[in-house]
Amino acid sequence: MAVLYIVGIGPGRREMMTVEAAEVLERCPVIAGYTVYVDLVKDWLGEKEYLVTPMRQERERCVMALASAAAGRDTAMVCSGDSGVYGMAGLILELCPKYPGVKVMVLPGVTAALAGGALLGAPLTNDFAVISLSDCLTPMEKIQARIRAAAEADFVICLYNPSSKRRQGYLGMACTIILESQSPETVCGIVRNIGRNGQSMEILSLKELAGREVDMFTTVYIGNAQTQKIGDSMVTPRGYLV
């Protein structure tokens, strides 16, 4: 029985993948995924069959991968970060009953919240919420409700997909909601191009963040009432020193 592996590749650098993920990608003759993510691994994987689709063709991509495995070829679907965090694991498992001869294995990876958090220091040491600002699949009213609830509960908030050409101003909207219950001086962080060329980071206040321009390759961290800037690091104390 062929296996369809759903592989979280982290930020995309081989050094930031799990050993298991790298070994599976080397072993599988077929690699499937979003064009941008496949390009991240092509350089070191070399000659293989690549099944790619552009953005917004997730279902087609998953069907291609399942069909490849159903034909008897071990196949790896690559996902940025973790395959189960805004990745393809859920969709493939939803479609899998239509391909009874395919075994699916989900391999974890380092999601942006963790990789970017390490660059900033330790912003996620206590409870935190991860929220995507993309309203392609989730209604904006629900996104806003989740942001408001997380801010009122004093979670550290990590925002994925904070902006794109179509979604200008979404980060400012999120900051406006958070400012309803959090101080303008709340410590925040921005990390761009995590683990890739052009990587950069910045620690700033919530009021400063509200006016920042970001892109879809940026991950945003909004601290809670305890989060501090210590030296060059963003730190959310767990409470050990109290």
Side-chain angles (χ1 to χ4, degrees):
M1 178 185 295
V3 179
L4 174 54
Y5 297 92
I6 316 171
V7 183
I9 63 171
R13 282 184 18 228
R14 185 175 182 178
E15 296 84 355
M16 296 185 74
M17 294 182 199
T18 66
V19 173
E20 181 183 31
E23 289 178 347
V24 163
L25 293 183
E26 289 176 339
R27 189 168 69 244
C28 285
V30 183
I31 307 295
Y34 171 43
T35 309
V36 173
Y37 303 153
V38 169
D39 286 345
L40 291 172
V41 299
K42 254 185 177 181
D43 287 345
W44 59 273
L45 285 180
E47 290 297 321
K48 292 180 180 288
E49 181 178 354
Y50 293 97
L51 307 175
V52 299
T53 65
M55 191 177 289
R56 298 200 179 186
Q57 291 189 18
E58 290 83 2
R59 184 187 179 93
E60 293 84 349
R61 190 183 313 150
C62 291
V63 168
M64 288 166 59
L66 283 161
S68 173
R73 300 176 297 175
D74 284 350
T75 301
M77 167 70 79
V78 297
C79 305
S80 178
D82 179 85
S83 55
V85 180
Y86 306 116
M88 293 295 99
L91 178 53
I92 286 177
L93 290 170
E94 287 180 82
L95 294 169
C96 195
K98 298 179 181 179
Y99 300 84
V102 175
K103 179 180 179 180
V104 173
M105 294 187 64
V106 181
L107 276 59
V110 180
T111 190
L114 306 182
L119 292 169
L120 287 168
L124 308 180
T125 307
N126 214 323
D127 297 336
F128 65 94
V130 177
I131 301 172
S132 171
L133 295 190
S134 172
D135 57 352
C136 292
L137 300 173
T138 305
M140 179 49 66
E141 294 77 12
K142 183 169 287 188
I143 294 172
Q144 291 173 336
R146 289 171 176 172
I147 294 169
R148 182 169 285 108
E152 289 177 352
D154 200 29
F155 279 96
V156 174
I157 300 173
C158 182
L159 297 177
Y160 282 34
N161 306 308
S163 183
S164 70
K165 291 180 179 178
R166 186 182 64 83
R167 292 181 286 104
Q168 297 293 322
Y170 280 30
L171 177 58
M173 171 272 298
C175 290
T176 297
I177 293 172
I178 295 167
L179 281 164
E180 294 172 4
S181 54
Q182 296 288 345
S183 165
E185 301 305 321
T186 298
V187 177
C188 300
I190 297 173
V191 185
R192 297 180 175 87
N193 298 309
I194 299 170
R196 304 176 189 173
N197 291 334
Q199 175 180 287
S200 66
M201 53 163 282
E202 180 182 4
I203 298 175
L204 66 172
S205 68
L206 179 55
K207 66 182 178 184
E208 291 171 327
L209 178 64
R212 279 290 192 276
E213 291 187 8
V214 296
D215 59 25
M216 64 183 295
F217 299 108
T218 303
T219 306
V220 176
Y221 300 76
I222 299 165
N224 66 14
Q226 291 75 48
T227 304
Q228 306 169 26
K229 184 176 184 293
I230 302 177
D232 294 326
S233 298
M234 178 180 178
V235 180
T236 302
R238 182 86 188 275
Y240 295 117
L241 297 181
V242 175

